[in-house]
């Protein structure tokens, strides 16, 4: 079934269902659902079928101890670098395997810009946290539990410096500067459960 996007309305991406890591679905945002909860079943990333430009995205997540994953937005195929997206890093900051660098911690733009640690009020693994991603033009903001933890301008001097030091330094065009893209729920390291996934085109 096709979903019609209307301005100023939230689109409920999860249809009231909870999405758990290691799902075997490949499409989010329509009714083609295939969930793989069987023990040992091969998982996979989950994508939206639609692309978004300016938007407000919100979701609740619940991780287990040690989980390291993320939600990617503006996910697009680049001329050089392949399929990539800006990642709102979701990780157990204490026990996650990739917690050594500031720009790899919860709320960061993964491998590019770190969050403001003083602004982070996080519930421990096993409890629910909420995130909000706001993209309007080149301005991007990350929120955790209602508090802004990161704001950046795509293409700015600070942004370019972060990209230059990251694993995305050779991506063309400049990483994160595509006009629009899909969302990707990453199937990476450790269980994560999502609920209340919504996007509002602006």
């Amino acid at each position: 079934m096709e979903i019609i996007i209307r301005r100023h309305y939230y689109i409920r991406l999860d249809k009231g269902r909870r999405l758990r890591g290691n799902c075997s679905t490949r499409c989010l945002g329509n009714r083609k659902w295939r969930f793989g909860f069987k023990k040992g079943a091969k998982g996979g990333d989950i994508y939206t079928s639609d692309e978004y430009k300016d938007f407000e995205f919100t979701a609740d997540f619940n991780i287990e101890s040690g989980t390291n994953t993320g939600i990617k937005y503006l996910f697009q195929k680049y001329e050089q670098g392949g399929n990539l997206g800006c990642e709102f890093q979701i990780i157990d900051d204490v026990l996650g395997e990739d917690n050594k660098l500031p720009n790899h911690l919860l709320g960061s733009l993964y491998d590019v810009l770190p969050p403001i640690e003083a602004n982070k009020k996080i519930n421990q693994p096993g409890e629910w946290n909420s995130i909000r991603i706001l993209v309007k033009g080149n301005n991007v903001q990350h929120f955790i539990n209602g508090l802004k933890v990161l704001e950046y301008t795509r293409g700015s001097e600070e942004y370019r410096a972060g990209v230059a030091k990251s694993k995305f330094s050779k991506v063309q065009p400049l990483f994160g500067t595509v006009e629009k893209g899909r969302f990707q729920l990453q199937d990476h390291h450790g269980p994560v459960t999502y609920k209340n996934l919504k996007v509002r085109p602006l």
Side-chain angles (χ1 to χ4, degrees):
M1 178 175 290
E2 182 181 11
I3 289 181
I4 300 174
I5 304 297
R6 295 184 175 88
R7 290 175 64 85
H8 310 305
Y9 285 86
Y10 277 107
I11 307 303
R12 184 68 179 265
L13 295 176
D14 58 348
K15 299 294 183 184
R17 306 173 184 178
R18 294 185 181 181
L19 307 181
R20 184 173 173 81
N22 298 322
C23 296
S24 60
T25 183
R26 286 291 175 183
C27 205
L28 178 66
N30 59 26
R31 296 193 178 183
K32 297 177 181 176
W33 296 96
R34 293 203 316 272
F35 293 99
F37 291 113
K38 294 181 180 180
K39 186 175 181 180
K42 183 178 180 180
D45 298 332
I46 302 174
Y47 303 84
T48 56
S49 53
D50 294 325
E51 295 184 336
Y52 299 89
K53 183 179 177 181
D54 293 343
F55 59 83
E56 180 182 20
F57 173 87
T58 58
D60 300 325
F61 71 91
N62 191 330
I63 60 174
E64 293 186 8
S65 179
T67 287
N68 171 24
T69 188
I71 294 178
K72 296 183 181 182
Y73 53 95
L74 298 175
F75 187 89
Q76 191 61 264
K77 184 175 183 178
Y78 284 75
E79 295 175 11
Q80 182 175 322
N83 296 312
L84 300 168
C86 298
E87 181 177 348
F88 186 117
Q89 173 76 324
I90 294 176
I91 187 173
D92 176 357
D93 280 347
V94 177
L95 297 177
E97 62 168 350
D98 192 12
N99 65 352
K100 305 301 186 294
L101 299 175
N103 59 12
H104 287 195
L105 298 178
L106 177 63
S108 65
L109 172 60
Y110 180 75
D111 209 42
V112 179
L113 296 170
I116 302 171
E117 288 298 316
N119 290 1
K120 287 166 59 171
K121 307 297 180 186
I122 307 167
N123 297 320
Q124 63 184 354
E127 299 180 3
W128 289 98
N129 290 277
S130 66
I131 71 168
R132 177 174 172 239
I133 304 169
L134 185 62
V135 174
K136 197 167 185 179
N138 288 328
N139 179 263
V140 182
Q141 300 175 43
H142 289 186
F143 297 80
I144 301 175
N145 295 328
L147 300 174
K148 187 191 297 184
V149 298
L150 177 62
E151 181 171 4
Y152 66 92
T153 301
R154 297 186 292 153
S156 67
E157 185 176 334
E158 178 189 24
Y159 180 83
R160 288 176 179 273
V163 171
K165 297 176 182 177
S166 75
K167 66 179 184 180
F168 309 113
S169 61
K170 298 186 183 303
V171 172
Q172 294 294 331
L174 180 68
F175 172 73
T177 59
V178 294
E179 182 179 4
K180 61 182 179 179
R182 296 185 291 164
F183 290 100
Q184 176 197 44
L185 306 185
Q186 191 180 37
D187 176 19
H188 188 41
H189 182 85
V192 57
T193 304
Y194 296 102
K195 67 178 182 179
N196 299 324
L197 290 96
K198 302 175 185 178
V199 61
R200 180 169 67 98
L202 300 176

